[in-house]
Amino acid sequence: MKKNALLTFIFACIPGAGQMYYGYMQRGLSLISLFCACFILGALASPLAVTCFIVWMYSFFDTYNLIRHLAAGDPKPDELMLLGDWEDLKRLIPQHNRLLGWALIALGAWSLYGILVEPLLYNLLLVLNVESAWRIVDAIPTMVIALLLIAGGVWLLGLHPRQRQEDGPLPPYPHEGEK
């Protein structure tokens, strides 16, 4: 079925809409979701805003790539872009619900800091006549995230003291004494 070229171009400019216009609902939904997630991340941390442009470009050119495959008589399957299909998504979430739980706790703590703690701390520093009160209050979330990233890196590399004490000496290489 031939689609309108103008509508194809307009929908291709909206991440995921071009895919949906050609009947690729799961593919379009995953691109819209990815674009919205990148938009939210870009709003929270402005250097990540460039990911919105990358997803938009991919979505635009993917629409025309789908058209090319449809015209050649070799349509691509309609599936989620990042995980494969809905079953992969269902399997992923229950297995990693602790990670999702920690992410939700961190997001909630960040929100509470912005709503409750930040104004109170700023007013307290103003009362104490601290000149750069806003700088201090504004830098706290960045410092906390930096410390968490460093701690996570130390944990992943196995450099924390508890693990080093438990490891003990390394066993010899296999066939070391047979030479």
Side-chain angles (χ1 to χ4, degrees):
M1 179 177 168
K2 183 129 171 89
K3 301 279 186 170
N4 185 321
L6 178 63
L7 284 177
T8 298
F9 176 75
I10 291 170
F11 287 132
C13 291
I14 304 168
Q19 288 78 2
M20 289 181 165
Y21 183 61
Y22 277 88
Y24 288 87
M25 296 301 170
Q26 289 184 5
R27 192 177 191 99
L29 178 64
S30 62
L31 283 168
I32 288 172
S33 301
L34 185 61
F35 181 80
C36 290
C38 291
F39 185 81
I40 291 169
L41 286 174
L44 293 174
S46 58
L48 296 176
V50 72
T51 58
C52 289
F53 182 68
I54 293 169
V55 171
W56 177 82
M57 280 182 50
Y58 178 83
S59 177
F60 182 85
F61 290 109
D62 184 58
T63 300
Y64 285 99
N65 187 38
L66 290 175
I67 294 169
R68 185 175 60 83
H69 280 275
L70 286 171
D74 182 30
K76 287 187 172 184
D78 183 22
E79 57 191 15
L80 293 175
M81 300 287 294
L82 300 175
L83 299 171
D85 61 10
W86 288 110
E87 294 305 315
D88 289 344
L89 182 63
K90 288 177 188 174
R91 282 192 303 262
L92 179 68
I93 290 177
Q95 291 177 357
H96 300 290
N97 58 2
R98 291 186 59 131
L99 181 62
L100 182 62
W102 280 111
L104 291 174
I105 289 170
L107 189 60
W110 189 339
S111 298
L112 284 176
Y113 174 80
I115 294 170
L116 298 174
V117 177
E118 191 175 272
L120 292 173
L121 188 58
Y122 177 69
N123 289 333
L124 176 66
L125 291 174
L126 283 179
V127 169
L128 296 174
N129 290 329
V130 176
E131 289 182 28
S132 57
W134 181 247
R135 257 182 155 173
I136 294 170
V137 171
D138 192 45
I140 289 174
T142 305
M143 289 188 298
V144 168
I145 290 172
L147 290 173
L148 288 174
L149 289 173
I150 291 169
V154 166
W155 181 76
L156 286 174
L157 291 173
L159 300 175
H160 47 80
R162 187 184 68 202
Q163 185 175 357
R164 279 200 165 168
Q165 292 170 356
E166 293 173 0
D167 284 347
L170 293 175
Y173 286 108
H175 311 292
E176 186 175 83
E178 296 176 10
K179 288 186 180 180

